[in-house]
Amino acid sequence: MVSLTPLLEVRDVVKHYRLPRERLLAAAPVVQALQGLSFTLQAGRSLGVVGESGSGKSTLARLVMALEVPSTGQVLMAGRDLQALDAAALRRARTDFQMVFQDPFGSLDPRQTVARIVAEPLEAQGDSSRAQMRQRAAEMLEAVGLRAADAAKYPHEFSGGQRQRIAIARALVTHPKLIVADEPVSALDVSVQAQVLNLMQDLQDQLGVTYLFISHDLAVVDLVCDEVIVLYQGRAVEQGDPDTLFHAAAHPYTRALMHAVPRAQPGARRAALPLPVAPVDAPGGCAFAPRCAFRQHRCLEQAPALRPLAPGHTAACHFAEQVLASTPD
């Protein structure tokens, strides 16, 4: 039977960072990286998280990976609160979730062989023999389209796309239930991006792995994700399936992201997003109001709550219906 417990659940997560004081006696400014974010992710599904730089995407990735602790709120993996686990239990739990980093050139140790790199998560668990680790590493390399013989090589002997395949093999070596992919193809050429994304989809079909896919590239998220959350200054402003969000966006920020995507049309120009307001200086009311063409007086005084517009589609906008009724540019 299919478990009704979500594989990943984020409950009202808040994450604040204190910045250095600008003056000796001044209060330290606080960056509000995440502000009450909540969502669930079922096993075997793919959830995309999109937003511009500073929206809180990478902070979310670090919290889900238990690399940082929420200021308030909970991150639960298969019903277990990761922050409530002791060090030994958390180490064992890490077999269930792994991460693929953005930069395939910086995330692999150039002094280690590919075999050692791929087997590193198994070595950290400490319950596999060297022969077992070598065998598992060879199997994972073949699963991502490389050869078992490549295990003896070093990262500099591979192209960028091949290095990201090695990083994916390392993430898969413990047979995790969840992979957090933080901008996994942004450092690759477009043609190589397609190969890596197709590989990730094939592995999901074969192994049933679940993805939390973090990206600023809407086309990538549209291709690989079942559901999308749009983040703005640490808040979820819209959520739904890609077809709904990218063709019937109900939040002005989601529309602005869509219009800012370069179009492969002669003479076409992408729209420029208005400059963001820093999270430390965010005004009251709706955080997007200073940049929004639909804003009214209410937007400056009252922050909108995330509310349902249709089954599976929510948006945090007082005037979402007007946005939907408007003609896209």
Side-chain angles (χ1 to χ4, degrees):
M1 294 179 64
V2 178
S3 173
L4 297 179
T5 302
L7 177 61
L8 173 66
E9 184 174 4
V10 173
R11 291 182 182 173
D12 298 318
V13 165
V14 173
K15 182 62 179 178
H16 294 165
Y17 296 99
R18 290 195 176 275
L19 299 180
R21 290 183 174 87
E22 297 178 356
R23 299 186 304 277
L24 179 61
L25 300 180
V30 176
V31 172
Q32 302 171 1
L34 290 175
Q35 304 185 60
L37 183 63
S38 297
F39 64 84
T40 60
L41 176 57
Q42 296 293 336
R45 303 277 290 176
S46 296
L47 175 65
V49 180
V50 300
E52 60 195 331
S53 297
S55 61
K57 304 187 304 297
S58 293
T59 297
L60 173 61
R62 292 193 294 270
L63 293 177
V64 170
M65 290 298 301
L67 299 176
E68 294 191 16
V69 179
S71 301
T72 61
Q74 294 177 300
V75 177
L76 294 91
M77 188 72 61
R80 294 183 298 173
D81 185 348
L82 295 180
Q83 301 308 321
L85 302 178
D86 59 32
L90 181 59
R91 187 182 305 111
R92 292 192 298 272
R94 288 191 184 280
T95 59
D96 289 337
F97 54 96
Q98 294 291 323
M99 189 166 185
V100 176
F101 295 92
Q102 176 178 0
D103 182 9
F105 299 91
S107 64
L108 306 180
D109 189 340
R111 300 166 297 180
Q112 302 287 352
T113 64
V114 168
R116 183 73 179 272
I117 290 170
V118 174
E120 183 179 8
L122 295 175
E123 187 175 1
Q125 294 299 318
D127 54 2
S128 300
S129 67
R130 291 194 176 277
Q132 289 173 325
M133 288 190 288
R134 286 195 298 269
Q135 177 64 27
R136 185 78 66 81
E139 291 173 356
M140 289 301 101
L141 288 173
E142 291 179 344
V144 299
L146 297 174
R147 300 176 301 166
D150 291 330
K153 298 180 180 179
Y154 288 84
H156 72 269
E157 301 179 66
F158 298 88
S159 67
Q162 290 173 322
R163 292 187 196 190
Q164 199 61 305
R165 288 173 182 263
I166 294 169
I168 294 171
R170 176 176 60 185
L172 289 170
V173 76
T174 63
H175 296 309
K177 298 175 182 176
L178 173 70
I179 288 183
V180 179
D182 188 3
E183 302 276 10
V185 297
S186 62
L188 306 177
D189 293 338
V190 174
S191 59
V192 180
Q193 287 183 13
Q195 296 173 13
V196 173
L197 292 173
N198 287 335
L199 169 65
M200 295 180 72
Q201 288 182 297
D202 290 341
L203 291 171
Q204 184 176 44
D205 294 338
Q206 296 167 14
L207 305 176
V209 67
T210 304
Y211 290 127
L212 180 64
F213 205 100
I214 294 171
S215 179
H216 68 278
D217 191 328
L218 301 180
V220 168
V221 172
D222 190 13
L223 177 66
V224 301
C225 294
D226 302 304
E227 192 172 5
V228 180
I229 293 176
V230 181
L231 285 188
Y232 181 72
Q233 292 194 2
R235 297 182 176 93
V237 297
E238 192 162 7
Q239 184 172 353
D241 64 81
D243 188 61
T244 299
L245 262 60
F246 300 152
H247 297 91
H251 196 283
Y253 178 60
T254 308
R255 288 208 171 185
L257 288 177
M258 292 299 302
H259 296 166
V261 174
R263 298 185 177 96
Q265 299 174 0
R269 299 179 62 186
R270 64 176 180 174
L273 275 169
L275 292 176
V277 178
V280 289
D281 300 321
C286 178
F288 190 65
R291 308 170 66 183
C292 183
F294 292 86
R295 70 177 178 270
Q296 298 185 28
H297 185 71
R298 178 185 178 188
C299 304
L300 302 175
E301 295 185 341
Q302 181 183 357
L306 200 64
R307 60 187 176 92
L309 302 175
H313 185 197
T314 59
C317 178
H318 294 309
F319 304 103
E321 288 80 6
Q322 294 182 21
V323 177
L324 279 171
S326 66
T327 302
D329 295 339

